[in-house]
Amino acid sequence: MCTVSKGQIKREALVRATINLVNNNGFHAAPMSKIAKMAKVSPGTIYLYFNNKQDLINQVYIEVKAAFSQYAFKDYEEHLSVEKGFKNIWKNIAEFKLKEVEEAMFLSQCDNTPMIDEAGRKEGLKHLQPLLDLWERGQKEGVIKPVSPYMLYAFSIYPIAFLMNIQQRALYKLTPTHVNDAYEMAWNSIKI
């Protein structure tokens, strides 16, 4: 039987509180004191786990990015064709963003803030390596447009965050048909 220590419970509460406050108030309106209060720990407890707010945000980002990537590549196999591999990864990413909304919203905020330092971004990027490798293979095989991975991500993956956000604001309901249409549009935007 696996037991969770009090320290792990407190750290997880701090992570959850950080995600919640950042999603609802932004990075700058989520001071350490509010995070501690929401996590129901003393403000000093944060410093047992994190050096400062920058360290807290970076560590939460890397943890959430790792969970996101694990989900994205959960049943991906390198031997698949580029198209089938991309479809597998894309559908997993869409499913994660539509099911794990709090974490997905946090990652979206992190993508658009200077709060994540360069070391944190590089660590987060490592988690996407299978997708980057797939795109590189696709470019070598003449299946994927010969543009930077940033362009590929911007046109094929990033729109999922937009769709998630409008669904969260109750402006649009994504049906399975809409998700399939979005996938087709993503694939068409990067294939040759």
Side-chain angles (χ1 to χ4, degrees), residues 3-60:
T3 58
V4 180
S5 73
K6 286 183 184 179
Q8 289 171 307
I9 292 169
K10 287 180 182 179
R11 188 180 186 287
E12 181 58 28
L14 289 165
V15 168
R16 303 280 357 128
T18 301
I19 291 170
N20 186 294
L21 282 171
V22 167
N23 284 348
N24 292 306
N25 302 327
F27 288 100
H28 298 294
M32 298 290 261
S33 58
K34 272 188 176 177
I35 292 169
K37 185 176 182 178
M38 182 176 242
K40 297 181 179 155
V41 300
S42 69
T45 301
I46 292 179
Y47 298 99
L48 295 174
Y49 307 100
F50 308 101
N51 296 330
N52 51 40
K53 186 175 178 181
Q54 181 76 46
D55 183 46
L56 167 66
I57 297 295
N58 278 306
Q59 284 195 43
V60 172

